[in-house]
Amino acid sequence: MATRELDDDQLERYARHVILEEVGEEGQLKLLDAKVLVVGAGGLGSPALMYLAAAGVGALGIVDHDTVDITNLQRQIIHTTDDVGEAKVASAAERIEELNPEIEVVQHRARFTAENAMDLLAQYDLVVDGSDNFAARYLTNDACYLSKKPLVSAALVRFEGQLSTYKAYQPLGDGKPNGPCYRCLFPTPPDPNLVPRCDTVGIFGAVAGVMGTLQAVEVLKEILDLGTGMAGRLLLYDALDQTFRTIKTNRDPECPLCGDAPSITEPRAD
Ligand code: ZN
């Protein structure tokens, strides 16, 4: 097989990556070959998509059924005032095209559901969960576990965010799984009446920028196999205190998805 190289334009565009010993031309080619699916083009998806596009992740799929609303613009920085009323996937694709025309953007204008989850994931190497509800988070978790794809997940409310990577499908050297899945940590969805939603309790907009950008960092590290990933660890961010905490997380042997006697064999939303 012929050795691939970056062309002159790529060497210029990605010069600050290529100069990093840990990335180099080889790493940049890996990024250009990577296919990442981002679920939700909202507060988390906006910065995640922009940094992944800027970094040269070759193919970016975006799943979102929604249109841009004026209330989104306080934090969903991939969309502009002119985009209000437009499909979020189309608006995000436009912005990515302006930032880096080299990226292939695939617009999936749909809800992420139990019916389409496995088919959507089959086209990608890795998934970013930028959804804003528990149903979608369980679905992405199940679909990623069942199709053995890494999932970089984050969530936020008010002034706080959390982030982890789920690769429970992947046994480590000692045969133990590589950390828990999302269901191990959050086995049951909270009562919908008690769940704080961003439209009722608010979100400090820039917190979405912090967490979505951290998702992009973790995705790029996963693709490049760099440093220490977030599998088996949960990052907690408190913007008011300006503190980050990382706690160790463990698989739950009783987990219905990745536990010792699994009962979930298809993605579920609850
Ligand atoms: Zn689990």
Side-chain angles (χ1 to χ4, degrees), residues 141 145 168 179-185 251-252 255-259:
N141 176 64
Y145 178 79
C181 80
Y182 183 80
R183 283 186 190 276
C184 294
L185 304 188
R251 187 185 71 128
D252 176 4
C255 175
L257 182 69
C258 76

mmCIF file of all heavy atoms in Angstrom, residues 141 145 168 179-185 251-252 255-259, ligand 1:
data_model
loop_
_atom_site.group_PDB
_atom_site.id
_atom_site.type_symbol
_atom_site.label_atom_id
_atom_site.label_comp_id
_atom_site.label_asym_id
_atom_site.label_seq_id
_atom_site.Cartn_x
_atom_site.Cartn_y
_atom_site.Cartn_z
ATOM 1 N N ASN A 141 -26.054 5.188 24.674
ATOM 2 C CA ASN A 141 -25.256 4.262 25.473
ATOM 3 C C ASN A 141 -25.441 2.818 25.002
ATOM 4 O O ASN A 141 -24.472 2.102 24.759
ATOM 5 C CB ASN A 141 -25.659 4.380 26.944
ATOM 6 C CG ASN A 141 -24.927 3.381 27.825
ATOM 7 O OD1 ASN A 141 -23.711 3.429 27.958
ATOM 8 N ND2 ASN A 141 -25.668 2.443 28.407
ATOM 9 N N TYR A 145 -22.634 0.549 23.044
ATOM 10 C CA TYR A 145 -22.152 -0.687 23.678
ATOM 11 C C TYR A 145 -22.368 -1.874 22.744
ATOM 12 O O TYR A 145 -21.467 -2.673 22.517
ATOM 13 C CB TYR A 145 -22.867 -0.913 25.012
ATOM 14 C CG TYR A 145 -22.446 -2.189 25.693
ATOM 15 C CD1 TYR A 145 -21.249 -2.253 26.397
ATOM 16 C CD2 TYR A 145 -23.228 -3.342 25.599
ATOM 17 C CE1 TYR A 145 -20.840 -3.432 27.003
ATOM 18 C CE2 TYR A 145 -22.832 -4.523 26.195
ATOM 19 C CZ TYR A 145 -21.638 -4.560 26.901
ATOM 20 O OH TYR A 145 -21.233 -5.736 27.494
ATOM 21 N N ALA A 168 -17.283 0.137 27.752
ATOM 22 C CA ALA A 168 -17.434 -1.072 28.574
ATOM 23 C C ALA A 168 -17.359 -2.352 27.750
ATOM 24 O O ALA A 168 -17.115 -3.434 28.289
ATOM 25 C CB ALA A 168 -18.765 -1.019 29.329
ATOM 26 N N GLY A 179 -14.103 -0.032 32.242
ATOM 27 C CA GLY A 179 -15.009 0.900 32.906
ATOM 28 C C GLY A 179 -16.463 0.521 32.735
ATOM 29 O O GLY A 179 -16.798 -0.472 32.092
ATOM 30 N N PRO A 180 -17.343 1.322 33.338
ATOM 31 C CA PRO A 180 -18.778 1.042 33.291
ATOM 32 C C PRO A 180 -19.409 1.567 32.002
ATOM 33 O O PRO A 180 -18.739 2.205 31.190
ATOM 34 C CB PRO A 180 -19.298 1.851 34.465
ATOM 35 C CG PRO A 180 -18.383 3.041 34.517
ATOM 36 C CD PRO A 180 -17.035 2.559 34.065
ATOM 37 N N CYS A 181 -20.703 1.302 31.815
ATOM 38 C CA CYS A 181 -21.474 1.995 30.794
ATOM 39 C C CYS A 181 -22.319 3.061 31.498
ATOM 40 O O CYS A 181 -22.319 3.161 32.722
ATOM 41 C CB CYS A 181 -22.333 1.019 29.969
ATOM 42 S SG CYS A 181 -23.876 0.512 30.745
ATOM 43 N N TYR A 182 -23.035 3.854 30.729
ATOM 44 C CA TYR A 182 -23.832 4.938 31.309
ATOM 45 C C TYR A 182 -24.897 4.390 32.262
ATOM 46 O O TYR A 182 -25.181 4.974 33.302
ATOM 47 C CB TYR A 182 -24.469 5.738 30.168
ATOM 48 C CG TYR A 182 -25.274 6.931 30.613
ATOM 49 C CD1 TYR A 182 -24.649 8.126 30.954
ATOM 50 C CD2 TYR A 182 -26.665 6.859 30.695
ATOM 51 C CE1 TYR A 182 -25.389 9.223 31.367
ATOM 52 C CE2 TYR A 182 -27.411 7.953 31.107
ATOM 53 C CZ TYR A 182 -26.777 9.133 31.443
ATOM 54 O OH TYR A 182 -27.512 10.207 31.850
ATOM 55 N N ARG A 183 -25.470 3.227 31.906
ATOM 56 C CA ARG A 183 -26.511 2.635 32.761
ATOM 57 C C ARG A 183 -25.976 2.185 34.113
ATOM 58 O O ARG A 183 -26.721 2.152 35.092
ATOM 59 C CB ARG A 183 -27.156 1.431 32.063
ATOM 60 C CG ARG A 183 -28.147 1.798 30.997
ATOM 61 C CD ARG A 183 -28.850 0.561 30.453
ATOM 62 N NE ARG A 183 -29.630 0.880 29.277
ATOM 63 C CZ ARG A 183 -30.875 1.377 29.315
ATOM 64 N NH1 ARG A 183 -31.480 1.567 30.471
ATOM 65 N NH2 ARG A 183 -31.512 1.665 28.198
ATOM 66 N N CYS A 184 -24.696 1.794 34.162
ATOM 67 C CA CYS A 184 -24.095 1.406 35.444
ATOM 68 C C CYS A 184 -24.136 2.589 36.412
ATOM 69 O O CYS A 184 -24.358 2.424 37.605
ATOM 70 C CB CYS A 184 -22.639 1.002 35.261
ATOM 71 S SG CYS A 184 -22.359 -0.475 34.287
ATOM 72 N N LEU A 185 -23.891 3.788 35.881
ATOM 73 C CA LEU A 185 -23.827 4.982 36.732
ATOM 74 C C LEU A 185 -25.208 5.567 36.994
ATOM 75 O O LEU A 185 -25.468 6.119 38.059
ATOM 76 C CB LEU A 185 -22.955 6.061 36.073
ATOM 77 C CG LEU A 185 -21.531 5.672 35.707
ATOM 78 C CD1 LEU A 185 -20.758 6.896 35.246
ATOM 79 C CD2 LEU A 185 -20.819 5.021 36.878
ATOM 80 N N ARG A 251 -17.964 -0.615 36.908
ATOM 81 C CA ARG A 251 -19.058 -1.338 36.270
ATOM 82 C C ARG A 251 -19.957 -1.942 37.347
ATOM 83 O O ARG A 251 -19.480 -2.386 38.400
ATOM 84 C CB ARG A 251 -18.498 -2.462 35.392
ATOM 85 C CG ARG A 251 -19.564 -3.151 34.562
ATOM 86 C CD ARG A 251 -18.982 -4.329 33.806
ATOM 87 N NE ARG A 251 -18.649 -5.412 34.707
ATOM 88 C CZ ARG A 251 -19.061 -6.674 34.555
ATOM 89 N NH1 ARG A 251 -19.812 -7.011 33.530
ATOM 90 N NH2 ARG A 251 -18.693 -7.606 35.400
ATOM 91 N N ASP A 252 -21.255 -1.967 37.086
ATOM 92 C CA ASP A 252 -22.207 -2.605 37.990
ATOM 93 C C ASP A 252 -22.488 -4.013 37.449
ATOM 94 O O ASP A 252 -23.033 -4.158 36.360
ATOM 95 C CB ASP A 252 -23.504 -1.773 38.011
ATOM 96 C CG ASP A 252 -24.573 -2.432 38.852
ATOM 97 O OD1 ASP A 252 -24.297 -3.478 39.478
ATOM 98 O OD2 ASP A 252 -25.699 -1.896 38.861
ATOM 99 N N CYS A 255 -25.794 -4.565 35.994
ATOM 100 C CA CYS A 255 -26.237 -3.697 34.900
ATOM 101 C C CYS A 255 -26.961 -4.531 33.827
ATOM 102 O O CYS A 255 -26.439 -5.554 33.387
ATOM 103 C CB CYS A 255 -25.039 -2.981 34.271
ATOM 104 S SG CYS A 255 -25.473 -2.002 32.814
ATOM 105 N N PRO A 256 -28.159 -4.088 33.419
ATOM 106 C CA PRO A 256 -28.915 -4.867 32.424
ATOM 107 C C PRO A 256 -28.280 -4.857 31.029
ATOM 108 O O PRO A 256 -28.642 -5.650 30.170
ATOM 109 C CB PRO A 256 -30.288 -4.177 32.397
ATOM 110 C CG PRO A 256 -30.033 -2.788 32.881
ATOM 111 C CD PRO A 256 -28.874 -2.884 33.853
ATOM 112 N N LEU A 257 -27.300 -3.969 30.808
ATOM 113 C CA LEU A 257 -26.651 -3.911 29.493
ATOM 114 C C LEU A 257 -25.285 -4.600 29.507
ATOM 115 O O LEU A 257 -25.030 -5.507 28.721
ATOM 116 C CB LEU A 257 -26.501 -2.458 29.029
ATOM 117 C CG LEU A 257 -25.879 -2.294 27.648
ATOM 118 C CD1 LEU A 257 -26.822 -2.794 26.561
ATOM 119 C CD2 LEU A 257 -25.503 -0.835 27.385
ATOM 120 N N CYS A 258 -24.388 -4.148 30.412
ATOM 121 C CA CYS A 258 -23.010 -4.658 30.365
ATOM 122 C C CYS A 258 -22.679 -5.560 31.551
ATOM 123 O O CYS A 258 -21.539 -5.954 31.726
ATOM 124 C CB CYS A 258 -22.030 -3.485 30.275
ATOM 125 S SG CYS A 258 -21.772 -2.593 31.821
ATOM 126 N N GLY A 259 -23.701 -5.890 32.379
ATOM 127 C CA GLY A 259 -23.468 -6.706 33.572
ATOM 128 C C GLY A 259 -23.301 -8.188 33.253
ATOM 129 O O GLY A 259 -23.184 -8.583 32.095
HETATM 130 ZN ZN ZN B 1 -23.449 -1.035 32.365
#
